[in-house]
Amino acid sequence: MRIAGVGFNCIDIYDNLNKYYPTGNSVDFIVHMSRFGAQTAMVSVVGDDPYGELMLDMLRKENVDVSHMPVREGRTAVFKMDLNGNDRVHKEKIEGVMADFALTPQDREFIAGCRAMHTNLSGKVEAELAGFRSGGVEVVFDFSTRTTREIAGPVLPDTDYAFFSYPQEDDYILEFIRWAQERGPKVAVVTLGEHGSLAYDGDRLYREGIVPAEVVNTVGAGDSFCAGFMYAALSGRTVQESLRSGAETAAKVVAKFEPY
């Protein structure tokens, strides 16, 4: 089971807490997949600064292949962060070398040999997804809080598993998850924070609650949920079992400061 995380990576910096760590949606996802035992790689770029070295060192320690993660002159991407209670707040995004990120022919060949790939709207590879999917790569796309037809609609036909985040279960999200799945994914999933999660596979709507945990920091909750769900799904488990696996993985992450 070789899985690639593709696109955005960054360093989250909490200046007021004097804390920072390597992260990014696909980074968090791929670290969890590696810990589950999958063969993993990150396809991205870092700068030739201490933050870039920090990112590469962390990924290597987590047994993630970084051979498609070159070091380029410039700054590694950073996100300035803050905490509102125990809920993370994104303040400022500085893209650095990620501003010019694009896949190379070698990257495309590598991804084409993977079982699945994970990316998001910051990954800048939406135009490439149809080609990977038609070649048999399962596309996992994290839309985060972008639960609108205008944003999700163009990407969904090239997606196998679509993940969204929304505050609660209501009529809008119940209609939206069905609409999203009908656009192309095998399964559409919505995490609902403390209210659990939903999934729709075209035949049935599934619900799953949370696994109780003492929340320290919510950053990484969605990425860890996605990893728990996808490792279970790619291992042949049911949608309901995959939702539970996602909830269990997320509970472990929110109970600590770092996102993995």
Side-chain angles (χ1 to χ4, degrees):
M1 188 191 293
R2 187 165 72 177
I3 315 294
V6 181
F8 190 73
N9 78 89
C10 67
I11 306 297
D12 276 4
I13 302 174
Y14 296 76
D15 285 326
N16 60 328
L17 300 176
N18 195 30
K19 289 180 178 288
Y20 58 91
Y21 49 73
T23 185
N25 293 116
S26 292
V27 171
D28 299 348
F29 173 87
I30 217 68
V31 166
H32 284 292
M33 293 297 280
S34 181
R35 291 178 180 179
F36 285 136
Q39 184 181 357
T40 59
M42 189 67 198
V43 180
S44 188
V45 61
V46 295
D48 59 349
D49 58 1
Y51 285 149
E53 185 177 353
L54 176 67
M55 175 67 73
L56 294 175
D57 284 347
M58 184 278 290
L59 290 171
R60 291 188 185 107
K61 288 176 182 175
E62 295 289 347
N63 298 312
V64 177
D65 179 358
V66 294
S67 61
H68 289 267
M69 205 166 176
V71 177
R72 294 181 183 159
E73 183 177 356
R75 296 179 62 183
T76 300
V78 301
F79 236 126
K80 295 295 184 72
M81 303 287 290
D82 204 347
L83 279 180
N84 179 16
N86 53 27
D87 195 13
R88 85 280 195 231
V89 178
H90 293 86
K91 294 171 59 179
E92 181 185 7
K93 178 181 179 181
I94 303 171
E95 284 194 295
V97 295
M98 279 300 310
D100 299 317
F101 173 71
L103 297 179
T104 66
Q106 293 78 16
D107 293 336
R108 294 186 185 95
E109 182 180 2
F110 177 79
I111 296 167
C114 293
R115 167 80 181 276
M117 63 173 288
H118 176 284
T119 192
N120 64 3
L121 291 166
S122 296
K124 304 182 179 183
V125 294
E126 294 98 307
E128 310 256 10
L129 299 182
F132 292 130
R133 195 182 188 203
S134 66
V137 181
E138 296 196 75
V139 176
V140 183
F141 202 96
D142 181 2
F143 291 91
S144 187
T145 59
R146 282 81 166 190
T147 52
T148 67
R149 298 189 181 201
E150 293 78 13
I151 294 177
V155 185
L156 287 167
D158 303 319
T159 301
D160 289 287
Y161 293 89
F163 287 81
F164 300 90
S165 176
Y166 193 75
Q168 71 279 321
E169 180 178 331
D170 58 22
D171 290 343
Y172 177 83
I173 204 63
L174 291 175
E175 190 279 333
F176 180 85
I177 193 173
R178 289 181 169 87
W179 171 86
Q181 192 278 332
E182 290 169 357
R183 303 279 78 74
K186 298 175 184 177
V187 183
V189 181
V190 181
T191 57
L192 304 170
E194 63 181 345
H195 303 294
S197 58
L198 304 170
Y200 184 67
D201 63 1
D203 294 320
R204 176 184 164 190
L205 179 70
Y206 301 82
R207 291 180 173 87
E208 183 62 50
I210 64 167
V211 173
E214 183 176 349
V215 179
V216 173
N217 189 351
T218 58
V219 70
D223 304 329
S224 57
F225 182 99
C226 182
F229 182 99
M230 286 309 309
Y231 188 76
L234 293 173
S235 299
R237 295 169 67 182
T238 67
V239 173
Q240 194 71 59
E241 290 170 334
S242 298
L243 284 174
R244 186 64 179 177
S245 176
E248 291 170 348
T249 308
K252 296 175 183 177
V253 166
V254 298
K256 53 187 175 181
F257 192 84
E258 293 76 15
Y260 37 75

